[in-house]
Amino acid sequence: MKYVYFFGAGRTEGTREQKNLLGGKGANLAEMSRLGLPVPPGFTITTEACESFYTAGKTWPEGLEAEVRGKLAELEQATGKRFGDPENPLLVSVRSGAAASMPGMMDTVLNLGINETTLEALARRSGNPRFAWDSYRRFMQMFGDVVMGVPHHDFELALQSVKDARGVRQDTDLDVDDLKKVVALYSELYHRHVGGGFPTDPWIQLKHSIDAVFGSWNNPRAIRYRQLNDIKGLNGTAVNIQAMVFGNMGDESGTGVCFTRDPANGDNVFYGEYLMNAQGEDVVAGIRTPHPISTLGEQNPAIYRQLLDIRSKLEAHYKDMQDIEFTIEDGKLFMLQTRAGKRTIFAALNAAVDMVDEGLIDRDTALMRIPAGSFNQLFAPVLDRKSKEKARLITKGLNASPGGASGRAVFTAEDAEAWAGRGESVILCRLETSPEDIGGMAVAKGILTARGGMTSHAAVVARGMGAPCVAGASSLHVDAGSRTITCGDVVIREGDLLAIDGFSGEVFLGAVDVNPSEIVQVLRGMMSESESRLYRNYKRLVGWADEVRRLGVRTNADTPRDAEMAVLFGAEGIGLCRTEHMFFEGDRIVPFREMILVADEVKRLREQAEADPGNEEIRRKLEAPLATYTHALSVLLPLQRSDFEGIFSVLDGKPCNIRLLDPPLHEFLPQDREGQLEMAKVMGVSVERIAEVVETLHEFNPMLGHRGIRIGLTYPEISDMQVRAIMEAAIDCTDRGIKVLPEIMIPLVGHPAELRISRERAQAVVDAVLVERGKPADYIDYRIGTMIEVPRAAVDAGKVAAHADFFSFGTNDLTQMGCGFSRDDAGKFLGDYVRMGIYDKDPFASIDEEGVGELVRLAVERGRGARPGIKLGVCGEHGGDPSSIRFFHNVGLDYVSCSPYRVPVARLAAAQSVLEKAK
Amino acid sequence: MKYVYFFGAGRTEGTREQKNLLGGKGANLAEMSRLGLPVPPGFTITTEACESFYTAGKTWPEGLEAEVRGKLAELEQATGKRFGDPENPLLVSVRSGAAASMPGMMDTVLNLGINETTLEALARRSGNPRFAWDSYRRFMQMFGDVVMGVPHHDFELALQSVKDARGVRQDTDLDVDDLKKVVALYSELYHRHVGGGFPTDPWIQLKHSIDAVFGSWNNPRAIRYRQLNDIKGLNGTAVNIQAMVFGNMGDESGTGVCFTRDPANGDNVFYGEYLMNAQGEDVVAGIRTPHPISTLGEQNPAIYRQLLDIRSKLEAHYKDMQDIEFTIEDGKLFMLQTRAGKRTIFAALNAAVDMVDEGLIDRDTALMRIPAGSFNQLFAPVLDRKSKEKARLITKGLNASPGGASGRAVFTAEDAEAWAGRGESVILCRLETSPEDIGGMAVAKGILTARGGMTSHAAVVARGMGAPCVAGASSLHVDAGSRTITCGDVVIREGDLLAIDGFSGEVFLGAVDVNPSEIVQVLRGMMSESESRLYRNYKRLVGWADEVRRLGVRTNADTPRDAEMAVLFGAEGIGLCRTEHMFFEGDRIVPFREMILVADEVKRLREQAEADPGNEEIRRKLEAPLATYTHALSVLLPLQRSDFEGIFSVLDGKPCNIRLLDPPLHEFLPQDREGQLEMAKVMGVSVERIAEVVETLHEFNPMLGHRGIRIGLTYPEISDMQVRAIMEAAIDCTDRGIKVLPEIMIPLVGHPAELRISRERAQAVVDAVLVERGKPADYIDYRIGTMIEVPRAAVDAGKVAAHADFFSFGTNDLTQMGCGFSRDDAGKFLGDYVRMGIYDKDPFASIDEEGVGELVRLAVERGRGARPGIKLGVCGEHGGDPSSIRFFHNVGLDYVSCSPYRVPVARLAAAQSVLEKAK
């Protein structure tokens, strides 16, 4: 096994393709060397060596030391310097570099190889003793901190004490004697923390540093980073050892970091900053203010021209925006890194479309270039940049859900609803959110929590709702009791103005203007297409996606307003229209509750009457409740009909999948005494009667209870009313020239016989309505089908398909039942499970392909086997998740359905699925 | 399509094999005719005709009338009589007869074809006008009641009024004039209820009667009967029209009902009763007391010899005990029916073994002859017959769970526990039971409910526990508030002595002696084998079953006592030892609760300490709870160890599958304020703290919550303790020369990685214990495996098998998750579902083969595919259900496991599965 790869000096061994082996940094150093760019030579220890280091119990694997020593000798030869040489010493940098970028890991040790002997040589050869001593103290600090764990802060204090004694502010104001004092203090510090003297043997320095890089791979911060960023399947980190070039050798030296395009908006301009007489860390540290890269053209036109040339070469070669690091040593340019540049979604979109126009990439590459998961960030409202600068930044949390929001601080879901009810914009501030907060979250402009990560309840729900969210802002002390937030000396009270930026995680005190997304402004006709380059690029890109994709994209929408927005976003129909929401609206809950109160009595008495047809007493008893029951349904019918008419009108010609009543009846009744008292008053029945019905309807496991088709079979008149409303609305719309394609979806089917019976009953209602209205049987092009969300239905899909024109996979419930954990309760262990690597990701966010996905696969295979033309879609939340969409594409579904704001995400992800599969 | 089949008079068309077409009665009439037995000729209208009748909207199908008229003509020819003939009229009986016996359906119309003209001829030809008029009034009564729906009671009143006027008691005391008065009253009655005159046209009489038989197939009583008795897949009922023979023609005539053996105990004696000068209904009606059949030998030796001869012929032909009906007309014997005789389980067992010895049937037939589902009735205690006769029978309910019980009436589960705690035998009397009553049900000798059917909670739980139960005794008014039962004029108070007979459904007031089952007496050494023929036959039969069966049979047992009983019943090991019950015993709950109170804190602080290793404050905070946690587990360890030692000692050499902790932790804490206060006092912690933990542990869907392996992964020290206890007990036992085969079962696995992690951890504990005790690695022959009860695990079984030495299917939970209904909640609709025919049977009682069974099938296929030697068993309650056992046999499991008292059931059912498959 080969553990070490050389690069530079015309003897490069690796290539850019070997990212997994050499890490991103190592592979690109090799690639730049091959391109003939000025890269200081060096060598990369592979990720496999790191893996072997761990399997060997944190010791170097057999042969690694010999290889490192061998490559070091090659490096000495290539540079003409020698490690530890008192005359012409070789100094190196040691940098970690995994296959995926991991800024949370140990980064860099510079100037390694320096000690009091070699620094004299360095001083002599550079004619710059200050530079040599500065390099030494930098090395001591980095090595001490990063490799040996001496607190960084202690080094800073020691340095500051010398600056204070000299009365200077900048490090660069310290002279050689000052630096010698710093070195003495650092030595003492090192001795105190580590014991023994500071290691002078360059090989020992190198060995410790390599160990430290290996060790950093599994430090808690790195592990956490990989979890948060969903980085899996890597062996370890590579280690890059490279001959030092010095940006801190004087005013002809310097260092900089650039992007080949603007990473904020994608503009094709050279973008970045640099500092003269500095090493890389100084640019980042913020002690001195770096200059914009464009000013380098005046200061050093030759180097600038050389950089522009390299920028072009790299973009032409990598065909992507690059993020590069360079150092100028005594007027000579060296390249230290290149990698794909991190960019905002705006930049990603603009750059991808520009590059197609520039002929750099083709359509398919452009489509693959956009991270589909972030695509909906394009539609989030944004904090006005200027207004933001005027506000007070109080803290930063996790950018949990993109978008900007501004409003009054409220501390409970009830307060949020109350303030919002008065027309106020609110930011809901919670320690953390829970399912009871949903109502408040839905009305809030933004959500701010002090606890919880990117997958916390607040984050997940906010992303689902498309609401901006800053989560885990841990410096905020949220006290819902006193309705205050304290953050240092700032106290925020209910009603105070706050703003959050879900793109950056920033939290501001005071009013900040919020602008709608540019694309949404154009879609809504508030801005013209010609005014917005972003919109034009968006339109071209999703147009390309539509050319490529095979999967249809529908939306989950319950209202004409949502449906309208979804259509603007390109939805090709509704994949899930939940009808239960309609019963909660306004006063409709009253007749619905009237019905619930008598439903069971009606059912019981009817059964008795059937068993004993002659019994007049039973018949008499049945009369009153039956009248209430029938009347309540007759009140609801025209309301539902008009709901459907509204939605059908928006869709005009696009299919509309309507799910019959799904939740258990107890969800429609108040569970608490107070609510029951109020309901009793409104409805004129005794509170005891209400409490009794609530008690009767109570369930131990509501998730596995009396809901969905089970209600349809127990109280079939409810479904009858809904089917009637759908058909009457469809006929009315068709009469008015609106094309309607209704799909009646029967939920929670587990057994084919459930669907057979329900379907027959629905069919009878459909037929009756058509006859009543004097329409031919084919007047409406309707379908009747079912959700597949119960594991039993998935494995028995062949038989279920006999009664279904379509299946729509309800992967939320299929996950709950298939994996056997309820979403409401799984929080207690699912976080641990993801941390332990049992599930790669939260299976409610991305479909668990091997488990729940296998149930889908079986159902597809068996359903299509029995009924080849059956239409297959998915309406769970997974329908808007790119990696799940890839799965649904591969498994052969016809369409996915997702929330309106995720429709463009799904269009793009569907196209990417085709392209990925083709690879 | 041929709708009518003739029998008798040497021209029989049907055979015994055509039961589905001709019904049981029709097929056997044909068969007896073929055997040359004296069967009055007649014809059978097929069940297909009945089916067509329904599909044609309750009208006769095309061609039926012509066929019936044709066969009627044949019958006239065969008998030399003519329907409606004024000289020599043909009278017929009309009887329903489906493929399965359905005593709840309309039964019989006798003497059809009679009217005031034909009765004169009948009187003339028989020389017995009284007989003719009696036949007429009988026909009017039967036709009026059964065919036209005139209340039976009204006929009785009319008859009674004539008897009263004449001052006689017996119907036979009425003379011709009296009977004419009766006929006149009946005519009036008919006119009042039906309108018009009583039909005199024999064809009209026949047509109405056939319609009524067809119609009776779907009357509520018949539907209910089929549901209760699980009769499915039949087309309808056949109709048998047969020439009348008259048992009421005088003292040389008569009628009787016999069994070819004693249906109570199977003794090979001719058993039954008869009445002279009577029609069949009189024997059953109980107005006159019939005579034992043996006395017929004195009264009419020729007929008796003929009957004995027929008895032998029928047994030799049918090779089974027969239930026969005969009529003697004027000294001549006619056979009207033969069918397999209903018998008790005792009779079934004895007769089957006897018949093998008699050479009548072979071993396999004997095995098939015993209804496996009733086999465990053999082990139920029985009310002493003599003692029972002395007690007062107060009512009869459903025989919901077999066995006799006597004890004091109690009305709540708490009272049951309190009385039982004082050493009293109690009968728990409830309106209906619910899961909260389990504790009381467990200590009660028997359970009596006023509501609920054969599948009610009380019935199901009692059968599971092997406790006698009479359910749905609807004439009892149970008032738990006042602790009384009223039943007519009887009032039963708490503490009064009651007895119930779960074999018959009888309820007695007063003390009744209870004897243990004979077989159990022998098994327990209380009676010698030679004293019990029943035991010897049982032993031979299960011995035959063991020769035939392939499936192993284990038991579900948590205590040495249960294990011991199961071994006596032939269990080959334990298939499920639940460990959680052990934590509830005595004072053990205290340390377990101590552990729960700190578990979450320990976990949280440990995670913080890991993420921030230098933080001394966290370490300090962790100390106290960690000490409590560790101490509690160390207290529990020796207790669990001794539990396992007890069980291992009983099993000596038989495998023992032990399931690690399964239920959610909240089940171990009191949910009510009172319990929490008590717990606070016992444990010396604040009640607020307890309430807080209870609140934290609350789950919305506990079925889908934090339990099983999820607890093992979150709080691994609990599993560690259990694994350690198992291994230490195994080593101690092995040291003492006891052979131990422990199987460690990890519950609720959904994902292979869960099992991998838990298994590795368990393996480490196993290894550590072996090393500590200085034992070699193979000292204990242990296995580690998992339950398959989560649908995900079933479909991903190939990967799960990689970490499992065995699978045990937990089909209870697999049904809940697979079908998506919780057992606790499904009661609200599952009854409807079975009624609607969606599920054939309660899927918790018999496995749903096409759904849940398909998940099992997939898991078997995939698990064995990945690991051919994997051991496969089932430990859900289905393991004791014969039809489920047949499925498990066919799907290829290695063993089933069930409750101790069902072990013989499983042995028998496993053998029957082999024999059925061979067919």
Side-chain angles (χ1 to χ4, degrees), chain A residues 220 436 603 607 610-611 696-706 709-710 713-714 751 753-754 757 790-792 795-796 799 816-822 824-825 828-829 832-833 836 838-839 848 850-851 854-855 857-858 862, chain B residues 220 603 607 610-611 696-706 709-710 713-714 751 753-754 757 790-792 795-796 799 816-822 824-825 828-829 832-833 835-836 838-839 848 850-851 854-855 857-858 862:
Chain A
E436 294 96 71
K603 175 175 185 287
E607 279 169 8
E610 241 168 71
T696 309
L697 292 177
H698 170 78
E699 296 185 307
F700 295 97
N701 294 285
M703 176 65 220
L704 303 177
H706 196 183
I709 195 174
R710 298 164 190 169
L713 287 167
T714 322
H751 196 290
E754 289 176 287
I757 296 170
V790 175
R792 197 199 179 290
V795 296
D796 206 12
K799 293 211 177 97
Q816 299 197 80
M817 295 181 204
C819 296
F821 38 66
S822 114
D824 291 331
D825 301 308
K828 294 199 176 100
F829 52 87
D832 288 340
Y833 268 37
M836 289 185 220
I838 292 171
Y839 284 97
D848 156 36
E850 301 199 343
E854 176 63 11
L855 287 168
R857 207 188 55 70
L858 283 169
R862 294 174 180 193
Chain B
K603 175 173 185 289
E607 279 169 8
E610 241 169 71
T696 310
L697 292 177
H698 171 77
E699 296 186 305
F700 295 97
N701 294 286
M703 177 64 220
L704 304 176
H706 194 184
I709 195 174
R710 297 162 191 169
L713 288 166
T714 322
H751 196 291
E754 291 175 286
I757 296 171
V790 175
R792 195 198 180 291
V795 296
D796 206 12
K799 292 211 178 97
Q816 299 197 79
M817 296 181 202
C819 295
F821 38 67
S822 113
D824 291 330
D825 302 309
K828 294 200 174 97
F829 52 86
D832 288 341
Y833 268 38
R835 263 194 292 287
M836 288 185 218
I838 292 172
Y839 285 96
D848 156 37
E850 300 198 344
E854 176 64 10
L855 288 168
R857 208 188 55 69
L858 284 168
R862 294 173 180 193

Side-chain angles (χ1 to χ4, degrees), chain A residues 88-111:
Chain A
N88 191 11
L90 170 66
L91 266 54
V92 297
S93 61
V94 178
R95 290 181 171 96
S96 69
S101 167
M102 288 179 54
M105 276 174 66
M106 175 206 140
D107 208 358
T108 302
V109 179
L110 299 180
N111 309 330

Side-chain angles (χ1 to χ4, degrees), chain B residues 288-509:
Chain B
R288 288 159 60 196
T289 304
H291 313 295
I293 193 70
S294 54
T295 63
L296 183 63
E298 298 146 34
Q299 191 167 13
N300 195 331
I303 293 278
Y304 188 63
R305 267 196 311 278
Q306 195 186 351
L307 263 177
L308 285 178
D309 182 52
I310 288 173
R311 172 198 174 216
S312 306
K313 268 196 185 143
L314 285 174
E315 274 214 345
H317 184 71
Y318 283 97
K319 300 186 190 306
D320 195 6
M321 182 212 290
Q322 296 294 299
D323 163 2
I324 60 181
E325 281 178 39
F326 65 88
T327 283
I328 305 166
E329 186 185 65
D330 212 9
K332 201 171 162 211
L333 179 68
F334 291 96
M335 298 303 299
L336 298 185
Q337 164 141 313
T338 188
R339 59 183 173 186
K342 287 219 163 126
R343 66 206 83 174
T344 65
I345 188 68
F346 305 99
L349 173 61
N350 286 331
V353 176
D354 285 352
M355 285 184 185
V356 171
D357 291 339
E358 293 162 21
L360 211 55
I361 59 175
D362 62 9
R363 179 196 69 178
D364 293 353
T365 308
L367 285 168
M368 293 305 293
R369 200 48 74 65
I370 318 291
S374 313
F375 201 50
N376 62 337
Q377 296 184 3
L378 286 172
F379 316 115
V382 289
L383 292 187
D384 184 78
R385 189 178 291 216
K386 285 190 186 143
S387 171
K388 198 164 127 172
E389 277 162 13
K390 287 183 216 144
R392 176 167 177 196
L393 176 68
I394 52 171
T395 190
K396 225 176 140 180
L398 298 170
N399 51 344
S401 177
S406 176
R408 300 193 177 274
V410 292
F411 294 88
T412 70
E414 293 72 42
D415 292 344
E417 296 190 61
W419 282 77
R422 296 198 295 272
E424 298 275 2
S425 296
V426 297
I427 304 289
L428 177 60
C429 309
R430 303 281 293 156
L431 189 61
E432 52 199 332
T433 61
S434 71
E436 293 97 69
D437 295 330
I438 293 284
M441 295 173 84
V443 298
K445 295 288 172 195
I447 294 143
L448 171 62
T449 69
R451 274 204 210 146
M454 296 298 284
T455 55
S456 64
H457 180 264
V460 170
V461 172
R463 285 196 295 271
M465 290 177 167
C469 175
V470 172
S474 53
S475 64
L476 300 181
H477 298 276
V478 178
D479 183 351
S482 66
R483 292 180 163 62
T484 52
I485 295 174
T486 45
C487 176
D489 56 346
V490 178
V491 178
I492 301 164
R493 297 207 167 70
E494 187 176 52
D496 287 355
L497 281 166
L498 277 185
I500 59 171
D501 188 333
F503 286 108
S504 63
E506 291 163 313
V507 181
F508 299 93
L509 188 58

Side-chain angles (χ1 to χ4, degrees), chain B residues 3-35:
Chain B
Y3 282 131
V4 189
Y5 287 70
F6 199 85
F7 59 82
R11 53 209 299 176
T12 303
E13 296 176 303
T15 72
R16 113 193 226 200
E17 275 69 41
Q18 289 171 302
K19 225 171 160 180
N20 277 328
L21 187 68
L22 304 179
K25 189 188 288 275
N28 284 327
L29 284 170
E31 190 73 9
M32 284 197 293
S33 305
R34 284 183 187 275
L35 280 177

